[in-house]
Amino acid sequence: MPKGDKPTSFDIAYMAGVSQATVSRALRNSPLVSKETRIKVQSVARQLNYKVDKNAANLRSQQTRTLALLLFEDPTSDDSLINPFFLAMLGNITRAAARNGYDLLVSFQQLSEDWHGEYEVSSRADGMILLGYGDYVSYAEKLAHLAEANAHFIIWGPMVEDQPGHSLGCDNVQGCYDASRHLLDLGHRRIAFIGGASEHCPEFLLRYQGYSKALTEAGTPVDKELQVDADNQEISGYQAAQQLLEDGREFSAVVCASDLMAIGAIKAFKENGKQVPGDVAVVGFDDIPAASYMNPPLTTVHQDTNLAGKLLVENLIKLIEGEAVESSLLAPSLVIRESCASET
Amino acid sequence: MPKGDKPTSFDIAYMAGVSQATVSRALRNSPLVSKETRIKVQSVARQLNYKVDKNAANLRSQQTRTLALLLFEDPTSDDSLINPFFLAMLGNITRAAARNGYDLLVSFQQLSEDWHGEYEVSSRADGMILLGYGDYVSYAEKLAHLAEANAHFIIWGPMVEDQPGHSLGCDNVQGCYDASRHLLDLGHRRIAFIGGASEHCPEFLLRYQGYSKALTEAGTPVDKELQVDADNQEISGYQAAQQLLEDGREFSAVVCASDLMAIGAIKAFKENGKQVPGDVAVVGFDDIPAASYMNPPLTTVHQDTNLAGKLLVENLIKLIEGEAVESSLLAPSLVIRESCASET
DNA sequence: GATAAGCGTGCAAACGTTTGGCCTTTTGCC
DNA sequence: GGCAAAAGGCCAAACGTTTGCACGCTTATC
């Protein structure tokens, strides 16, 4: 082995006085080699600071022990900022992957991009996790391609009808139902909803359904006038709240389809001299880190990103290993802080 | 090509009526193949949905076009929460890597871990980025090993004496100097400092230096009584503030070595009936997302994570390509919000 | 004292690329 | 028309593993 070059298994073999094949087996603790040999080989390997070449190993064994995380960014969002909720997910997924002995390849995708992008990644990983506020409708075709190519993938998001592949999501309906229920229990009757009610984003649509359901059950009419579309950004929440205010619509509470929008909305209310929670109660969804630091601390629907990351990774690995996996929904929990007061 | 199997370059070659070598060249737009052939090959490849096998390609060309991000977690920190500042860095690094055509492998490391961990990753990437609140002293040995093995790596953090490798960091001294200066300009004279002043974390030490420098320049004595150690967590900031309060030390302002600690400190002050900024002014460091949402919005030292991510990636790539790189420092900027008022 | 069984190793063939070198055409030039 | 040069393509050798198979050497069995 010339000095400076990376040692190969042949170098180890030579130094340990065995064949290269034996080195390979010994290093992976194969029961086919004697304990003695194994110890000998491993000690030489350590001494030479030898590391298996992953490319060669993966090529030969046709697997990568790598998971890919495809993060679909909101195309409208500011380039420099990532949705904090996904950031939290990312962190937890990374951890879960590591705990399961997998590497994690992270890649940002623009929804608008050439669908080949996903395949590209797929050749470098055994499976992939798709993360994004699921405008899955617009890339259903891509998913179909993936499924067709026998790719292993799991989607973070709601279970959408006819959607190929497996998914894991949060029970959005239940979450927003609980949040709305909370507002109703506080005596509110005129409750607005900020967040898209189009099929463009199934998450928000489902959250809207939870809201509707709660109101309906309580015998409160769902007033279309009190629902305003917005996408998942602070500025959108701000604008939506402005609109509500400008139109002079009457309401004492708002449920926002995400914390980011809630933050924007609260800002708008404050700027217009409305007290939160005094004049208007606000609930959010996601429980991003900022939610607890805000003024007032935001009452919101908590999603367990730790559990989600763990399950996403574990289910994907099952998929890779050929085991059956059920798509499922995680239960959210309402965390009550200070952004909601009783209707007076 | 049996149905269901992934097509190889041989399949493309066969269908396009050329040799496999030509396929390889055509797909990479080599000038060695005619335009005609190239188009033909590429169209067949697209048609068969062919994707180059990265493992094979990397093995042969001995490079991976992959960067590894090693995130060193504070061993004391809560398992479920990642330091928001690093999360922001992570996002920006991912983006920068993608823009430069590199994949990003993300890996969490425990400081306490076997140092082999790093090597392990290194065989899967062309270079690596080390990210963490730099207790580099404690793994200087690992860094030396890396350097010795001719690994390409760049460290996020201050330039520490004798530290092998390249680094990129924020000018911590300047940042805290500016923050302290701001407080002094507002008339404060009894200014406390929360954050470790030990060499355990060079970042905090440098920030403390900036603080000392500002006070000294202003002719204000640096009172050791007003400095309290804390590590980078909300709870530590909380405890440090408590301690300051309990001991009955007199102060009208606090500079915190990180936003997380500032958040904790503010919480402690509020709980003890102190108004921020009325009774005590607080500045932080990092400008994490939550800083602007807090009550009051936190005046803090902003680090440009977007630029940092970009530079980290670009410098690392230069290193990989054998170009010279200078370790350097990024200029922080003070962002003034509402957590500091004039001393009355 | 053969024969069978087991255990530990070595041999060599993949895995799917990239790439240096060689061979055939074409093309340009006198 | 002959020759050199350039263009375009093919051959085959890597890259460093994993793994099926064959081979020897012990040890147990009849």
Side-chain angles (χ1 to χ4, degrees):
Chain A
M1 182 187 64
K3 193 167 153 35
D5 274 16
K6 247 180 28 183
T8 73
S9 51
F10 283 95
D11 299 315
I12 312 297
Y14 178 76
M15 295 209 59
V18 297
S19 76
Q20 180 270 338
T22 300
V23 170
S24 170
R25 287 195 257 259
L27 291 177
R28 282 170 313 123
N29 295 317
S30 160
L32 289 153
V33 313
S34 68
K35 191 176 174 187
E36 228 176 297
T37 313
R38 181 173 58 225
I39 291 176
K40 168 89 188 183
V41 168
Q42 291 185 345
S43 106
V44 173
R46 196 164 13 234
Q47 198 180 313
L48 292 194
N49 200 7
Y50 167 79
K51 276 291 153 191
V52 172
D53 182 308
K54 280 287 165 185
N55 287 318
N58 291 341
L59 170 59
R60 172 58 226 230
S61 58
Q62 293 296 79
Q63 54 151 22
T64 65
R65 279 246 140 202
T66 297
L67 266 23
L69 174 59
L70 267 40
L71 210 45
F72 290 89
E73 288 189 88
D74 212 337
T76 53
S77 92
D78 178 352
D79 181 64
S80 69
L81 218 63
I82 302 171
N83 183 323
F85 174 70
F86 291 134
L87 226 35
M89 288 288 284
L90 191 162
N92 285 305
I93 289 171
T94 306
R95 274 219 200 65
R99 267 197 292 264
N100 283 278
Y102 275 77
D103 280 333
L104 217 232
L105 219 43
V106 178
S107 154
F108 282 63
Q109 303 282 326
Q110 295 290 355
L111 238 34
S112 54
E113 259 167 31
D114 180 17
W115 60 267
H116 284 88
E118 291 145 56
Y119 287 96
E120 213 149 81
V121 176
S122 80
S123 83
R124 293 169 235 185
D126 296 337
M128 45 209 201
I129 298 174
L130 272 44
L131 190 56
Y133 266 118
D135 182 11
Y136 296 111
V137 175
S138 73
Y139 49 92
E141 194 200 351
K142 303 179 192 183
L143 293 183
H145 272 282
L146 279 182
E148 203 179 301
N150 282 318
H152 304 294
F153 65 97
I154 187 165
I155 299 168
W156 167 256
M159 290 179 280
V160 175
E161 193 108 13
D162 294 330
Q163 177 175 286
H166 297 265
S167 66
L168 179 77
C170 162
D171 191 336
N172 290 290
V173 176
Q174 186 66 42
C176 246
Y177 174 87
D178 292 346
S180 308
R181 195 62 255 163
H182 177 61
L183 257 15
L184 288 162
D185 289 347
L186 288 172
H188 295 279
R189 283 302 171 271
R190 299 285 300 166
I191 304 175
F193 183 89
I194 292 180
S198 77
E199 66 171 24
H200 178 74
C201 177
E203 261 100 345
F204 289 179
L205 187 55
L206 291 165
R207 292 176 192 177
Y208 180 69
Q209 284 171 12
Y211 155 86
S212 303
K213 185 177 160 209
L215 295 214
T216 307
E217 270 187 27
T220 310
V222 177
D223 186 349
K224 264 291 168 192
E225 285 247 306
L226 289 178
Q227 185 273 320
V228 16
D229 275 344
D231 53 16
N232 187 40
Q233 288 182 87
E234 189 181 330
I235 181 74
S236 302
Y238 180 87
Q239 288 161 349
Q242 284 284 10
Q243 193 181 323
L244 240 23
L245 256 20
E246 278 165 21
D247 295 359
R249 300 177 193 162
E250 198 188 314
F251 61 94
S252 64
V254 183
V255 357
C256 299
S258 81
D259 285 353
L260 240 30
M261 291 190 274
I263 288 171
I266 289 177
K267 191 171 165 214
F269 291 141
K270 283 187 181 169
E271 284 184 15
N272 284 272
K274 299 260 184 195
Q275 300 277 16
V276 176
D279 299 325
V280 36
V282 177
V283 300
F285 203 114
D286 284 345
D287 196 18
I288 62 177
S292 66
Y293 299 135
M294 291 172 49
N295 175 29
L298 187 67
T299 290
T300 186
V301 178
H302 178 78
Q303 302 199 55
D304 188 341
T305 54
N306 198 150
L307 179 63
K310 180 175 133 78
L311 254 31
L312 239 20
V313 167
E314 288 176 358
N315 284 351
L316 180 54
I317 292 175
K318 277 188 195 164
L319 241 28
I320 291 168
E321 293 174 348
E323 287 178 53
V325 167
E326 292 280 310
S327 290
S328 63
L329 248 32
L330 263 31
S333 58
L334 185 69
V335 359
I336 295 173
R337 288 197 267 252
E338 299 163 30
S339 62
C340 303
S342 300
E343 161 69 330
T344 45
Chain B
M1 182 188 66
K3 195 168 148 41
D5 273 17
K6 245 181 27 183
T8 73
S9 51
F10 283 95
D11 299 316
I12 311 296
Y14 178 76
M15 294 209 59
V18 297
S19 77
Q20 180 269 338
T22 300
V23 169
S24 170
R25 295 200 165 94
L27 291 177
R28 283 172 309 125
N29 296 316
S30 158
L32 269 57
V33 313
S34 68
K35 192 176 173 189
E36 231 176 298
T37 313
R38 180 172 58 225
I39 291 178
K40 169 87 189 186
V41 168
Q42 292 186 344
S43 106
V44 172
R46 194 162 16 228
Q47 199 181 313
L48 291 194
N49 202 6
Y50 167 79
K51 276 290 155 191
V52 171
D53 182 306
K54 280 288 166 186
N55 286 319
N58 291 342
L59 170 60
R60 171 59 226 228
S61 58
Q62 292 295 80
Q63 54 152 21
T64 65
R65 281 246 139 203
T66 297
L67 265 25
L69 175 60
L70 267 41
L71 210 45
F72 291 90
E73 288 187 88
D74 211 338
T76 53
S77 92
D78 176 352
D79 181 64
S80 70
L81 217 62
I82 302 171
N83 182 322
F85 174 70
F86 291 134
L87 225 35
M89 288 289 285
L90 191 161
N92 285 304
I93 289 171
T94 306
R95 272 219 201 66
R99 265 198 293 265
N100 284 277
Y102 276 77
D103 280 334
L104 217 233
L105 221 42
V106 178
S107 156
F108 282 63
Q109 303 281 327
Q110 296 287 359
L111 239 32
S112 53
E113 260 167 32
D114 180 18
W115 59 268
H116 285 87
E118 290 145 59
Y119 286 96
E120 213 148 84
V121 176
S122 82
S123 83
R124 290 168 237 186
D126 296 336
M128 45 208 202
I129 298 173
L130 273 44
L131 190 56
Y133 267 117
D135 182 13
Y136 297 110
V137 175
S138 73
Y139 47 92
E141 192 200 352
K142 302 179 192 184
L143 292 182
H145 271 283
L146 278 183
E148 203 179 303
N150 283 319
H152 304 293
F153 64 97
I154 186 164
I155 299 167
W156 168 256
M159 290 178 282
V160 175
E161 194 108 11
D162 295 329
Q163 176 174 287
H166 297 265
S167 67
L168 179 77
C170 163
D171 191 337
N172 290 290
V173 176
Q174 186 66 42
C176 246
Y177 174 86
D178 292 345
S180 309
R181 192 65 253 164
H182 177 62
L183 256 17
L184 288 163
D185 290 346
L186 288 172
H188 295 279
R189 283 300 171 272
R190 299 285 302 165
I191 304 175
F193 183 90
I194 293 181
S198 78
E199 66 171 25
H200 179 72
C201 177
E203 261 100 346
F204 290 179
L205 187 55
L206 291 166
R207 290 176 193 178
Y208 180 70
Q209 284 172 12
Y211 155 86
S212 303
K213 186 177 158 210
L215 295 214
T216 308
E217 271 187 26
T220 310
V222 177
D223 186 349
K224 266 291 169 192
E225 285 247 305
L226 290 179
Q227 186 273 320
V228 19
D229 275 344
D231 54 16
N232 186 39
Q233 286 183 88
E234 189 181 329
I235 182 75
S236 302
Y238 179 88
Q239 288 161 347
Q242 286 282 11
Q243 193 181 324
L244 241 23
L245 255 21
E246 278 165 21
D247 295 0
R249 299 177 195 163
E250 196 188 314
F251 61 94
S252 66
V254 183
V255 356
C256 299
S258 81
D259 284 352
L260 239 31
M261 291 190 274
I263 288 172
I266 289 177
K267 191 171 166 213
F269 292 139
K270 283 186 181 171
E271 284 184 15
N272 284 273
K274 298 260 185 197
Q275 298 279 14
V276 177
D279 299 325
V280 37
V282 177
V283 300
F285 203 113
D286 286 343
D287 196 18
I288 63 176
S292 66
Y293 300 135
M294 293 172 49
N295 176 30
L298 187 66
T299 290
T300 186
V301 178
H302 177 79
Q303 302 199 54
D304 188 342
T305 55
N306 198 152
L307 179 64
K310 180 175 134 78
L311 254 32
L312 238 20
V313 168
E314 288 175 0
N315 283 352
L316 179 54
I317 292 175
K318 278 188 194 163
L319 241 30
I320 292 169
E321 292 174 348
E323 286 179 53
V325 167
E326 292 280 308
S327 289
S328 63
L329 248 32
L330 264 28
S333 58
L334 184 69
V335 358
I336 296 173
R337 289 196 267 252
E338 299 164 28
S339 62
C340 302
S342 299
E343 160 68 330
T344 45

